Amino acid sequence: MEEVRRDNPLGLNMVASAHSRLGNLQRHFQSSENVGKDSLNRGNVKLSPEVAEALSRGNAIVALESTIISHGMPYPQNLETAKEVEAIVRNNGAVPATIAILDGIPCIGLTTNELERLANLGTKAQKTARRDIAYLVASGGNGATTVSATMFFASMVGIPVFVTGGIGGVHRHGEHTMDISSDLTELGRTPVAVISAGVKSILDIPRTLEYLETQGVTVAAYNTDQFPAFFTETSGCKVPFRVDSPEDCAQLIDANLRLGLGTGILIAVPIPKEHAASGSLIESAIQKALQEARDNKVTGNAETPFLLARVNELTGGASLASNIALVKNNAFVGARIAVAHAQMRQ
């Protein structure tokens, strides 16, 4: 591993620290050829060869979650979308690192066969947040990572940029139910930059932004002063900070790491105008889906997949098409940010 630059005005060395952790972890990592062999101890993290090489060279990497594959859409559309998103990341100069737990092994970077296996498993793979990781590893289960679990593993190995569709947040009527996504607390304690189209619009966006402020999370919007609402370009909420280029984002990420703040960053990228859904159409569908969820007593981590599926049905597929388009756009922007940040570190 090449020597990491150790001088900075604060006397801190977050990048070197990340590489040091990586060196320690790599002594325990197994190569992809060892999957399924007796020498692989359950609980070890497995890096794909592509991701391992990119980490050792300090090249750009983009972490990707896997819940969108297992719970976001049906097979084979989920597999096609996953491959297309990874291709966008590669075509823009970065290495994709889709993260999942397979047979109790946290995998950072999936092979084509592993992607296909996860896509076929669909909802049989457990939707995995931070709280679920230890159980799935201990029991040898299969898990598709949400934002919180993906951030945890990305930070563990030193990947500072993570792309997703939209983060979780405070659910509507959350002041009564206390249903608040662990994505928000993860952003408050894990130094990874999350590139998303804002907060899923089925949620309470103003309260989510208030909660992120309490957690000390930097929230910035990309090329806009307005916080986007997932399916639509704006939520009506202003953001405290604005970034206008991949270089701006890279400088923000670098400052966060050098200062050792220990918190994540949310960079909200509006859905492209040509793919945005009608705000009134989406809101009408959300209200109907929310009522159905209450009537059917759908709660906890089952609620978001239920709501997204019903909104897609009620909008005649328009919301899913928008979802796929915004994820691809986020992958494009996120890859460019990762490249800019990697260039700053070299």
Side-chain angles (χ1 to χ4, degrees):
M1 184 178 296
E2 63 186 57
E3 184 67 24
V4 178
R5 179 174 62 83
R6 299 181 183 276
D7 59 306
N8 65 63
L10 297 173
L12 299 171
N13 189 19
M14 297 303 295
V15 174
S17 175
H19 278 256
S20 175
R21 290 198 308 274
L22 173 61
N24 291 334
L25 285 164
Q26 281 177 325
R27 286 194 288 272
H28 301 288
F29 291 158
Q30 307 294 324
S31 69
S32 61
E33 289 77 15
N34 287 331
V35 176
K37 294 185 179 179
D38 293 338
S39 60
L40 180 58
N41 295 322
R42 181 176 296 167
N44 283 353
V45 175
K46 179 177 76 70
L47 292 175
S48 72
E50 185 182 23
V51 170
E53 181 179 4
L55 281 169
S56 69
R57 294 176 178 273
N59 293 340
I61 306 172
V62 172
L64 300 167
E65 57 140 303
S66 49
T67 297
I68 191 172
I69 302 172
S70 62
H71 290 69
M73 57 196 78
Y75 183 88
Q77 190 176 24
N78 56 354
L79 178 61
E80 293 166 1
T81 301
K83 288 180 176 179
E84 288 167 359
V85 169
E86 287 201 345
I88 290 168
V89 171
R90 286 194 180 91
N91 292 340
N92 285 279
V95 171
T98 301
I99 296 175
I101 298 175
L102 296 174
D103 299 321
I105 303 163
C107 301
I108 302 177
L110 300 184
T111 65
T112 300
N113 286 340
E114 288 167 340
L115 271 179
E116 183 151 4
R117 180 184 173 193
L118 187 64
N120 270 300
L121 278 171
T123 55
K124 292 178 183 176
Q126 182 167 332
K127 184 181 175 185
T128 306
R130 173 190 271 258
R131 70 164 189 182
D132 308 303
I133 293 171
Y135 179 81
L136 282 168
V137 169
S139 63
N142 298 309
T145 55
T146 63
V147 169
S148 65
T150 306
M151 287 183 71
F152 171 79
F153 287 120
S155 179
M156 173 189 279
V157 299
I159 300 174
V161 178
F162 160 42
V163 163
T164 186
I167 67 165
V170 178
H171 281 252
R172 299 192 189 199
H173 310 294
E175 67 274 23
H176 302 299
T177 65
M178 294 300 292
D179 192 349
I180 300 170
S181 171
S182 63
D183 296 355
L184 304 187
T185 49
E186 198 67 39
L187 276 160
R189 63 180 170 185
T190 303
V192 169
V194 179
I195 319 302
S196 82
V199 178
K200 294 182 178 74
S201 52
I202 57 175
L203 305 172
D204 187 326
I205 294 175
R207 282 193 171 92
T208 297
L209 292 173
E210 289 288 349
Y211 195 92
L212 286 169
E213 180 186 5
T214 302
Q215 292 290 311
V217 177
T218 299
V219 177
Y222 193 75
N223 283 325
T224 180
D225 297 310
Q226 299 290 321
F227 191 78
F230 198 62
F231 295 124
T232 55
E233 295 173 273
T234 181
S235 63
C237 300
K238 287 193 173 183
V239 288
F241 308 110
R242 172 176 173 148
V243 283
D244 290 310
S245 68
E247 291 72 25
D248 284 352
C249 299
Q251 289 172 354
L252 178 60
I253 295 167
D254 185 61
N256 188 60
L257 292 174
R258 285 192 295 108
L259 288 164
L261 290 171
T263 52
I265 298 170
L266 178 61
I267 298 174
V269 181
I271 185 173
K273 188 184 297 289
E274 63 271 23
H275 296 295
S278 163
S280 58
L281 173 68
I282 293 293
E283 184 58 30
S284 174
I286 288 172
Q287 290 299 332
K288 184 172 177 56
L290 284 167
Q291 186 59 54
E292 291 179 6
R294 286 193 290 271
D295 293 344
N296 290 285
K297 294 182 171 54
V298 180
T299 60
N301 66 3
E303 185 174 18
T304 295
F306 173 84
L307 292 174
L308 290 176
R310 281 299 290 140
V311 169
N312 181 54
E313 291 168 4
L314 292 166
T315 59
S319 68
L320 180 58
S322 294
N323 194 351
I324 293 171
L326 66 84
V327 170
K328 291 180 179 179
N329 184 60
N330 293 346
F332 168 73
V333 174
R336 295 179 68 207
I337 292 171
V339 168
H341 185 252
Q343 290 172 345
M344 283 186 64
R345 297 193 307 182
Q346 290 176 344

